[in-house]
Amino acid sequence: MNAHGDLSILWDGDLLIVKTFGPFNEIGLKIHISKIRESILSKDLKSWRKMEIWDEETLGSPDVVSTGEAVAKWYKDNGCYASAIIVCNSLQEQIADNITSNNTKSFRNQEAAMNWLNRQNT
């Protein structure tokens, strides 16, 4: 099986910005999660924030959603104190809200997400 889905990673101070592109399968998600984890661990920050920006095609199977739940816990356990997910539609919003943990919110626009992230404290 081929990997599906792509993403880009960018750091702005203590803010990790992840942009996702296309639908993900389990293999694609695992490959990209590994890259994100390496980036987080290499920054060696005690606390940090995350903004995910999903394109209109970002979705995943139930297995992908299940993996996303475990990843959200790993983020929190490794210093992520606030996470904003910017979605394009109601289905994505429902998925994001189901896989998230404490201090994670979904938004429809980047400005609102950034305003919320800037008000969060460690």
Side-chain angles (χ1 to χ4, degrees), residues 47-117:
S47 62
W48 50 278
R49 306 169 295 156
K50 179 175 62 69
M51 178 186 294
E52 291 185 22
I53 304 168
W54 294 4
D55 78 356
E56 54 278 339
E57 295 182 358
T58 297
L59 289 172
S61 69
D63 288 339
V64 168
V65 172
S66 178
T67 300
E69 292 170 352
V71 171
K73 182 183 180 326
W74 186 91
Y75 290 152
K76 183 178 179 187
D77 292 347
N78 285 275
C80 183
Y81 65 90
S83 182
I85 302 174
I86 301 163
V87 298
C88 297
N89 56 58
S90 298
L91 180 56
Q92 289 177 334
E93 186 172 28
Q94 183 179 3
I95 291 170
D97 291 345
N98 285 340
I99 66 171
T100 57
S101 58
N102 294 338
N103 222 26
T104 300
K105 287 186 72 168
S106 61
F107 297 88
R108 292 290 181 112
N109 71 69
Q110 192 167 337
E111 183 178 351
M114 197 67 229
N115 288 338
W116 180 80
L117 280 170

